[in-house]
Each structure stands twice: as C-alpha cells, then as structure tokens.
Amino acid sequence: DAKTTQPPSMDCAEGRAANLPCNHSTISGNEYVYWYRQIHSQGPQYIIHGLKNNETNEMASLIITEDRKSSTLILPHATLRDTAVYYCIVRVEMNYGGATNKLIFGTGTLLAVQP
Amino acid sequence: SAVISQKPSRDICQRGTSLTIQCQVDSQVTMMFWYRQQPGQSLTLIATANQGSEATYESGFVIDKFPISRPNLTFSTLTVSNMSPEDSSIYLCSVGANYGYTFGSGTRLTVV
C-alpha cells in the first residue's frame, strides 16, 4: 500500500507559487520521498526527490519537515502547462542483491493552474 | 536518464485473446517495472522484472495472467493473457537506477 496521503485536488493561479502538501507519517529513516507528475495521457515525469534535506532543482523545490512525516512540493511560478496529477511517493526499500527499489503510487493531487 | 520505447502504443483486442507489450531501453538497467493504470486511477505496480530470474509479482497479480520476460538488460515484455474488458487500462514500463526512475509513455489497451 502507498505510504502517502495527498489532497485530491488543488487550484493555483498562473504565475503564483503552487504548494502541494504530502503526509507520510510512517516513513522509515532510509526511505526517500519522490515527486512525479503525470500530464494527461503521458507517462509519469520525475520532478524531484529527497531524504532529509530540502532540495531544489530547475523544476521545483522540496521541503521536508524535520521529523520527515510530511513534505511540500513547491512550483515557484506555476504555468498552465503545470496542470497535471502530482504524486508524492515514498520509495519502498527492497532487498534484491543490493539493487534498486520500487515506487508505490498513491492517489495523487490534481493541480489545476488557472489563467 | 534512460529512454524507453514501448510498443504498441495502443491496441484494441478481443476478449479471450492475449497481447504482448514490449519495453526497450536505450541503456542497460538492472530493474524494470510494469505498472497498470486503470481509467481515472493511479498507477498500480504489477511486477518487478529481474534479468535472469523470475519476475516478482505484487499482491493481486499472478504470473499466469501477466507473464513477464526479461531476456537481457535492455528489454522486457509483459503479456496480458485471456483478456476481459476489465483489463482495459494503460500499461507502463519503468526502469530504475539508484535514484532515478523513468517511465515509458504506456500502452493503451482496450478489450472489447
């Protein structure tokens, strides 16, 4: 089961910052938080990920609380093209020869950017 | 990041038949994943495809219904067997590295 809880939908005015919250109260110490988005009829697109520290890249910023039980994805200047479903994911750790781990998606937040 | 090519992009199939979906990656990857996305829903992990061994299926998915092949580090197939209208979904291939996961554009399957 997914380990995250997100609001089903949010609105944001074009040009304003979009702040998308996510709760992951059962996260373990070595589990990463990932954010993906899915624009209609496309495969999910990677946005950002983090473990403990806040992270920023060209797309967004990720703010993780000190207790790691929640996080916020920030799109600093939302555009109409940012309208999508945003998924907050806690990467589930697997033990397969030291290889990678799997992403279990939750229900996501539909962000609608309004003109 | 890896580039994924998924074929076919869409198909309409008769119930009771099977469809094999191909996933080709432009680089060698250890882990490949298959997801299903039912209409209006989120993504559900079907299985993890490991090169040289049997795929690992998630709860609710079985090998007889969704056989997977992983013959090498750049290719995998997912077969949807004995299809029914309930199998109408988008099926997505994904590959994982240590930190990044890339998704294909998916196969939109309609079963009639």
PDB file of all heavy atoms in Angstrom, chain B residues 33-53:
ATOM      1  N   PHE B  33      10.175  -2.366 -14.224  1.00  0.00           N
ATOM      2  CA  PHE B  33       8.901  -2.487 -13.533  1.00  0.00           C
ATOM      3  C   PHE B  33       7.752  -2.355 -14.523  1.00  0.00           C
ATOM      4  O   PHE B  33       7.841  -1.601 -15.482  1.00  0.00           O
ATOM      5  CB  PHE B  33       8.764  -1.383 -12.474  1.00  0.00           C
ATOM      6  CG  PHE B  33       9.917  -1.310 -11.499  1.00  0.00           C
ATOM      7  CD1 PHE B  33      11.015  -0.516 -11.773  1.00  0.00           C
ATOM      8  CD2 PHE B  33       9.884  -2.021 -10.316  1.00  0.00           C
ATOM      9  CE1 PHE B  33      12.078  -0.440 -10.885  1.00  0.00           C
ATOM     10  CE2 PHE B  33      10.946  -1.952  -9.414  1.00  0.00           C
ATOM     11  CZ  PHE B  33      12.035  -1.163  -9.698  1.00  0.00           C
ATOM     12  N   TRP B  34       6.693  -3.074 -14.238  1.00  0.00           N
ATOM     13  CA  TRP B  34       5.478  -2.965 -15.042  1.00  0.00           C
ATOM     14  C   TRP B  34       4.339  -2.475 -14.157  1.00  0.00           C
ATOM     15  O   TRP B  34       4.107  -3.008 -13.061  1.00  0.00           O
ATOM     16  CB  TRP B  34       5.102  -4.302 -15.664  1.00  0.00           C
ATOM     17  CG  TRP B  34       6.004  -4.685 -16.806  1.00  0.00           C
ATOM     18  CD1 TRP B  34       7.074  -5.525 -16.765  1.00  0.00           C
ATOM     19  CD2 TRP B  34       5.902  -4.228 -18.164  1.00  0.00           C
ATOM     20  NE1 TRP B  34       7.651  -5.617 -18.011  1.00  0.00           N
ATOM     21  CE2 TRP B  34       6.945  -4.839 -18.892  1.00  0.00           C
ATOM     22  CE3 TRP B  34       5.030  -3.365 -18.841  1.00  0.00           C
ATOM     23  CZ2 TRP B  34       7.146  -4.620 -20.249  1.00  0.00           C
ATOM     24  CZ3 TRP B  34       5.232  -3.136 -20.193  1.00  0.00           C
ATOM     25  CH2 TRP B  34       6.276  -3.764 -20.885  1.00  0.00           C
ATOM     26  N   TYR B  35       3.634  -1.448 -14.661  1.00  0.00           N
ATOM     27  CA  TYR B  35       2.521  -0.855 -13.942  1.00  0.00           C
ATOM     28  C   TYR B  35       1.253  -0.940 -14.781  1.00  0.00           C
ATOM     29  O   TYR B  35       1.300  -0.980 -16.011  1.00  0.00           O
ATOM     30  CB  TYR B  35       2.788   0.632 -13.642  1.00  0.00           C
ATOM     31  CG  TYR B  35       3.814   0.907 -12.577  1.00  0.00           C
ATOM     32  CD1 TYR B  35       5.180   0.914 -12.883  1.00  0.00           C
ATOM     33  CD2 TYR B  35       3.434   1.196 -11.270  1.00  0.00           C
ATOM     34  CE1 TYR B  35       6.126   1.192 -11.912  1.00  0.00           C
ATOM     35  CE2 TYR B  35       4.377   1.478 -10.286  1.00  0.00           C
ATOM     36  CZ  TYR B  35       5.714   1.470 -10.626  1.00  0.00           C
ATOM     37  OH  TYR B  35       6.656   1.750  -9.649  1.00  0.00           O
ATOM     38  N   ARG B  36       0.123  -0.894 -14.094  1.00  0.00           N
ATOM     39  CA  ARG B  36      -1.168  -0.777 -14.747  1.00  0.00           C
ATOM     40  C   ARG B  36      -1.849   0.487 -14.228  1.00  0.00           C
ATOM     41  O   ARG B  36      -1.800   0.796 -13.043  1.00  0.00           O
ATOM     42  CB  ARG B  36      -2.044  -1.998 -14.436  1.00  0.00           C
ATOM     43  CG  ARG B  36      -3.431  -1.938 -15.055  1.00  0.00           C
ATOM     44  CD  ARG B  36      -4.215  -3.200 -14.746  1.00  0.00           C
ATOM     45  NE  ARG B  36      -4.657  -3.256 -13.365  1.00  0.00           N
ATOM     46  CZ  ARG B  36      -5.342  -4.272 -12.852  1.00  0.00           C
ATOM     47  NH1 ARG B  36      -5.629  -5.314 -13.596  1.00  0.00           N
ATOM     48  NH2 ARG B  36      -5.721  -4.239 -11.587  1.00  0.00           N
ATOM     49  N   GLN B  37      -2.493   1.200 -15.139  1.00  0.00           N
ATOM     50  CA  GLN B  37      -3.262   2.376 -14.744  1.00  0.00           C
ATOM     51  C   GLN B  37      -4.663   2.247 -15.324  1.00  0.00           C
ATOM     52  O   GLN B  37      -4.876   2.450 -16.529  1.00  0.00           O
ATOM     53  CB  GLN B  37      -2.603   3.674 -15.219  1.00  0.00           C
ATOM     54  CG  GLN B  37      -3.277   4.913 -14.680  1.00  0.00           C
ATOM     55  CD  GLN B  37      -2.480   6.172 -14.941  1.00  0.00           C
ATOM     56  OE1 GLN B  37      -1.735   6.269 -15.914  1.00  0.00           O
ATOM     57  NE2 GLN B  37      -2.618   7.166 -14.060  1.00  0.00           N
ATOM     58  N   GLN B  38      -5.596   1.905 -14.486  1.00  0.00           N
ATOM     59  CA  GLN B  38      -6.985   1.777 -14.915  1.00  0.00           C
ATOM     60  C   GLN B  38      -7.579   3.166 -15.114  1.00  0.00           C
ATOM     61  O   GLN B  38      -7.081   4.149 -14.558  1.00  0.00           O
ATOM     62  CB  GLN B  38      -7.763   0.955 -13.885  1.00  0.00           C
ATOM     63  CG  GLN B  38      -7.257  -0.482 -13.810  1.00  0.00           C
ATOM     64  CD  GLN B  38      -7.933  -1.299 -12.738  1.00  0.00           C
ATOM     65  OE1 GLN B  38      -7.875  -0.967 -11.556  1.00  0.00           O
ATOM     66  NE2 GLN B  38      -8.573  -2.393 -13.135  1.00  0.00           N
ATOM     67  N   PRO B  39      -8.636   3.255 -15.901  1.00  0.00           N
ATOM     68  CA  PRO B  39      -9.195   4.571 -16.245  1.00  0.00           C
ATOM     69  C   PRO B  39      -9.494   5.419 -15.012  1.00  0.00           C
ATOM     70  O   PRO B  39     -10.179   4.984 -14.084  1.00  0.00           O
ATOM     71  CB  PRO B  39     -10.482   4.198 -16.998  1.00  0.00           C
ATOM     72  CG  PRO B  39     -10.191   2.870 -17.603  1.00  0.00           C
ATOM     73  CD  PRO B  39      -9.336   2.155 -16.599  1.00  0.00           C
ATOM     74  N   GLY B  40      -8.935   6.633 -14.995  1.00  0.00           N
ATOM     75  CA  GLY B  40      -9.172   7.565 -13.906  1.00  0.00           C
ATOM     76  C   GLY B  40      -8.481   7.227 -12.601  1.00  0.00           C
ATOM     77  O   GLY B  40      -8.752   7.873 -11.579  1.00  0.00           O
ATOM     78  N   GLN B  41      -7.604   6.237 -12.622  1.00  0.00           N
ATOM     79  CA  GLN B  41      -6.954   5.785 -11.394  1.00  0.00           C
ATOM     80  C   GLN B  41      -5.457   6.083 -11.414  1.00  0.00           C
ATOM     81  O   GLN B  41      -4.906   6.511 -12.435  1.00  0.00           O
ATOM     82  CB  GLN B  41      -7.168   4.281 -11.214  1.00  0.00           C
ATOM     83  CG  GLN B  41      -8.612   3.836 -11.186  1.00  0.00           C
ATOM     84  CD  GLN B  41      -9.359   4.397  -9.999  1.00  0.00           C
ATOM     85  OE1 GLN B  41      -8.876   4.349  -8.864  1.00  0.00           O
ATOM     86  NE2 GLN B  41     -10.536   4.955 -10.248  1.00  0.00           N
ATOM     87  N   SER B  42      -4.842   5.838 -10.263  1.00  0.00           N
ATOM     88  CA  SER B  42      -3.392   5.975 -10.149  1.00  0.00           C
ATOM     89  C   SER B  42      -2.703   4.738 -10.728  1.00  0.00           C
ATOM     90  O   SER B  42      -3.349   3.815 -11.214  1.00  0.00           O
ATOM     91  CB  SER B  42      -3.029   6.161  -8.675  1.00  0.00           C
ATOM     92  OG  SER B  42      -1.639   6.273  -8.502  1.00  0.00           O
ATOM     93  N   LEU B  43      -1.388   4.729 -10.657  1.00  0.00           N
ATOM     94  CA  LEU B  43      -0.619   3.594 -11.154  1.00  0.00           C
ATOM     95  C   LEU B  43      -0.533   2.506 -10.091  1.00  0.00           C
ATOM     96  O   LEU B  43      -0.292   2.802  -8.910  1.00  0.00           O
ATOM     97  CB  LEU B  43       0.802   4.020 -11.530  1.00  0.00           C
ATOM     98  CG  LEU B  43       0.991   4.761 -12.842  1.00  0.00           C
ATOM     99  CD1 LEU B  43       0.532   6.207 -12.733  1.00  0.00           C
ATOM    100  CD2 LEU B  43       2.441   4.700 -13.291  1.00  0.00           C
ATOM    101  N   THR B  44      -0.682   1.271 -10.528  1.00  0.00           N
ATOM    102  CA  THR B  44      -0.546   0.111  -9.650  1.00  0.00           C
ATOM    103  C   THR B  44       0.591  -0.762 -10.163  1.00  0.00           C
ATOM    104  O   THR B  44       0.602  -1.143 -11.336  1.00  0.00           O
ATOM    105  CB  THR B  44      -1.846  -0.713  -9.622  1.00  0.00           C
ATOM    106  OG1 THR B  44      -2.921   0.117  -9.174  1.00  0.00           O
ATOM    107  CG2 THR B  44      -1.702  -1.909  -8.690  1.00  0.00           C
ATOM    108  N   LEU B  45       1.520  -1.070  -9.282  1.00  0.00           N
ATOM    109  CA  LEU B  45       2.651  -1.903  -9.676  1.00  0.00           C
ATOM    110  C   LEU B  45       2.193  -3.339  -9.874  1.00  0.00           C
ATOM    111  O   LEU B  45       1.571  -3.922  -8.980  1.00  0.00           O
ATOM    112  CB  LEU B  45       3.742  -1.838  -8.617  1.00  0.00           C
ATOM    113  CG  LEU B  45       5.019  -2.631  -8.890  1.00  0.00           C
ATOM    114  CD1 LEU B  45       5.737  -2.107 -10.133  1.00  0.00           C
ATOM    115  CD2 LEU B  45       5.954  -2.589  -7.681  1.00  0.00           C
ATOM    116  N   ILE B  46       2.505  -3.901 -11.042  1.00  0.00           N
ATOM    117  CA  ILE B  46       2.176  -5.293 -11.333  1.00  0.00           C
ATOM    118  C   ILE B  46       3.303  -6.196 -10.854  1.00  0.00           C
ATOM    119  O   ILE B  46       3.090  -7.159 -10.116  1.00  0.00           O
ATOM    120  CB  ILE B  46       1.957  -5.507 -12.844  1.00  0.00           C
ATOM    121  CG1 ILE B  46       0.770  -4.693 -13.341  1.00  0.00           C
ATOM    122  CG2 ILE B  46       1.774  -6.993 -13.162  1.00  0.00           C
ATOM    123  CD1 ILE B  46       0.598  -4.701 -14.857  1.00  0.00           C
ATOM    124  N   ALA B  47       4.523  -5.883 -11.313  1.00  0.00           N
ATOM    125  CA  ALA B  47       5.645  -6.763 -11.001  1.00  0.00           C
ATOM    126  C   ALA B  47       6.954  -6.058 -11.266  1.00  0.00           C
ATOM    127  O   ALA B  47       7.026  -5.060 -11.992  1.00  0.00           O
ATOM    128  CB  ALA B  47       5.574  -8.040 -11.843  1.00  0.00           C
ATOM    129  N   THR B  48       7.983  -6.616 -10.659  1.00  0.00           N
ATOM    130  CA  THR B  48       9.357  -6.188 -10.900  1.00  0.00           C
ATOM    131  C   THR B  48      10.025  -7.254 -11.756  1.00  0.00           C
ATOM    132  O   THR B  48       9.987  -8.443 -11.406  1.00  0.00           O
ATOM    133  CB  THR B  48      10.111  -6.038  -9.573  1.00  0.00           C
ATOM    134  OG1 THR B  48       9.424  -5.086  -8.759  1.00  0.00           O
ATOM    135  CG2 THR B  48      11.531  -5.557  -9.813  1.00  0.00           C
ATOM    136  N   ALA B  49      10.610  -6.841 -12.869  1.00  0.00           N
ATOM    137  CA  ALA B  49      11.212  -7.784 -13.816  1.00  0.00           C
ATOM    138  C   ALA B  49      12.719  -7.774 -13.635  1.00  0.00           C
ATOM    139  O   ALA B  49      13.370  -6.752 -13.833  1.00  0.00           O
ATOM    140  CB  ALA B  49      10.844  -7.402 -15.240  1.00  0.00           C
ATOM    141  N   ASN B  50      13.250  -8.900 -13.255  1.00  0.00           N
ATOM    142  CA  ASN B  50      14.663  -9.028 -12.963  1.00  0.00           C
ATOM    143  C   ASN B  50      15.331  -9.869 -14.030  1.00  0.00           C
ATOM    144  O   ASN B  50      14.841 -10.946 -14.371  1.00  0.00           O
ATOM    145  CB  ASN B  50      14.860  -9.696 -11.609  1.00  0.00           C
ATOM    146  CG  ASN B  50      13.968  -9.097 -10.545  1.00  0.00           C
ATOM    147  OD1 ASN B  50      13.873  -7.889 -10.426  1.00  0.00           O
ATOM    148  ND2 ASN B  50      13.315  -9.942  -9.774  1.00  0.00           N
ATOM    149  N   GLN B  51      16.422  -9.389 -14.568  1.00  0.00           N
ATOM    150  CA  GLN B  51      17.115 -10.120 -15.622  1.00  0.00           C
ATOM    151  C   GLN B  51      17.707 -11.413 -15.070  1.00  0.00           C
ATOM    152  O   GLN B  51      18.390 -11.397 -14.053  1.00  0.00           O
ATOM    153  CB  GLN B  51      18.208  -9.246 -16.234  1.00  0.00           C
ATOM    154  CG  GLN B  51      18.734  -9.757 -17.570  1.00  0.00           C
ATOM    155  CD  GLN B  51      19.902 -10.718 -17.432  1.00  0.00           C
ATOM    156  OE1 GLN B  51      20.659 -10.609 -16.478  1.00  0.00           O
ATOM    157  NE2 GLN B  51      20.057 -11.631 -18.364  1.00  0.00           N
ATOM    158  N   GLY B  52      17.381 -12.504 -15.726  1.00  0.00           N
ATOM    159  CA  GLY B  52      17.955 -13.783 -15.343  1.00  0.00           C
ATOM    160  C   GLY B  52      17.216 -14.517 -14.249  1.00  0.00           C
ATOM    161  O   GLY B  52      17.670 -15.571 -13.804  1.00  0.00           O
ATOM    162  N   SER B  53      16.070 -14.006 -13.834  1.00  0.00           N
ATOM    163  CA  SER B  53      15.297 -14.705 -12.805  1.00  0.00           C
ATOM    164  C   SER B  53      13.816 -14.432 -13.005  1.00  0.00           C
ATOM    165  O   SER B  53      13.430 -13.633 -13.855  1.00  0.00           O
ATOM    166  CB  SER B  53      15.738 -14.262 -11.411  1.00  0.00           C
ATOM    167  OG  SER B  53      15.421 -12.910 -11.211  1.00  0.00           O
TER     168      SER B  53
END
